[in-house]
Amino acid sequence: MRIAVSVVFMLVCVALTALVLMQEGKSAGLGAIQGAADSYWGKNKGRSMEGAMIRFTKILAVLFLVLSVLLNMSIF
């Protein structure tokens, strides 16, 4: 059982790293200060690819924390 959880943990780590690297930096929205771009809430609303990536990043981060705690406990 511990081996299976460890494999899932490694897959979550790789996926989380890939998702974080694929996201745009927050400095990309500096044009909004001058009014050149739409606001974050106006263009995103969770329906775009960026919104989906943010949502999956949060899910994987929670899964990462839960699996980390499970692997450090002496259950298995």
Side-chain angles (χ1 to χ4, degrees):
M1 184 71 173
R2 184 169 179 86
I3 294 172
V5 174
S6 295
V7 169
V8 171
F9 180 70
M10 285 186 258
L11 292 173
V12 167
C13 289
V14 170
L16 186 59
T17 303
L19 270 175
V20 168
L21 290 175
M22 288 183 351
Q23 291 180 12
E24 287 184 9
K26 296 296 179 187
S27 63
L30 286 180
I33 294 173
Q34 300 169 351
D38 291 334
S39 69
Y40 176 77
W41 301 111
K43 73 173 187 176
N44 199 351
K45 295 187 182 180
R47 295 182 186 154
S48 67
M49 180 64 86
E50 185 70 24
M53 286 174 37
I54 291 171
R55 185 172 48 251
F56 288 134
T57 303
K58 290 177 184 178
I59 292 169
L60 285 176
V62 170
L63 192 58
F64 174 82
L65 290 173
V66 169
L67 289 174
S68 297
V69 170
L70 280 176
L71 286 172
N72 283 321
M73 296 173 75
S74 299
I75 296 174
F76 307 115

